[in-house]
């Protein structure tokens, strides 16, 4: 399970635009958990992101729980990402955690977050 967990990318977000995201805690049997960020424009609801990711992880023997959601504004031409808002169904994700994950994935970006906005 630890090996499967290590293959799960910490961040998967769309390359451009404004879209919903979820912060998920992924677990394998007997393995430590890790938090991952998933954000895509195709998702009408935060639950869509959660359900699709849960299905993908289940195929590798992993499970996940949703820690909350929000929105991401990704502007690659400006090298900026802004994290904000909340999920009606899952509540507000810890945007500080999300921001740290994004900084590791996009080290040359300016990444900001705020609790305001929807």
């Amino acid at each position: 399970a630890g090996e499967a967990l290590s293959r799960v990318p910490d961040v998967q977000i769309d390359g451009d635009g404004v879209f919903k995201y979820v912060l998920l805690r992924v677990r394998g049997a007997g393995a430590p958990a890790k938090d991952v960020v998933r954000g895509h424009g195709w998702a009408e609801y935060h639950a869509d992101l959660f359900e699709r990711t849960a299905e993908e992880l289940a195929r590798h023997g992993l499970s996940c729980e949703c820690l909350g959601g929000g929105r991401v504004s990704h502007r690659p031409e400006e090298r900026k990402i802004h994290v904000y808002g909340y999920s009606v169904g899952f509540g507000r994700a810890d945007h500080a955690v999300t921001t740290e994950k994004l900084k590791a994935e996009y080290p040359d970006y300016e990444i900001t977050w705020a609790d305001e906005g929807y």
Side-chain angles (χ1 to χ4, degrees):
E3 205 175 299
L5 191 64
S6 69
R7 286 196 296 269
V8 176
D10 283 4
V11 174
Q12 286 182 328
I13 64 168
D14 284 355
D16 193 7
V18 175
F19 42 85
K20 293 181 166 128
Y21 92 89
V22 289
L23 182 62
L24 304 172
R25 181 155 292 153
V26 180
R27 286 195 171 82
K34 83 171 185 176
D35 295 345
V36 302
V37 176
R38 298 292 181 267
H40 300 289
W42 53 256
E44 189 175 350
Y45 300 104
H46 291 91
D48 298 337
L49 293 165
F50 171 65
E51 288 163 12
R52 184 176 294 184
T53 306
E55 286 170 17
E56 289 170 8
L57 292 169
R59 289 197 286 272
H60 301 285
L62 300 170
S63 63
C64 67
E65 65 176 303
C66 188
L67 303 178
R71 291 177 184 264
V72 170
S73 169
H74 187 181
R75 299 195 307 270
E77 68 286 347
E78 298 173 42
R79 301 188 101 61
K80 286 185 180 178
I81 295 176
H82 184 62
V83 180
Y84 65 98
Y86 60 94
S87 160
V88 172
F90 295 116
R92 185 187 323 280
D94 186 338
H95 297 327
V97 171
T98 300
T99 299
E100 288 310 307
K101 295 277 178 191
L102 291 168
K103 284 179 178 172
E105 192 74 18
Y106 297 92
D108 54 344
Y109 269 60
E110 178 188 330
I111 301 175
T112 56
W113 66 273
D115 278 338
E116 291 78 51
Y118 176 80

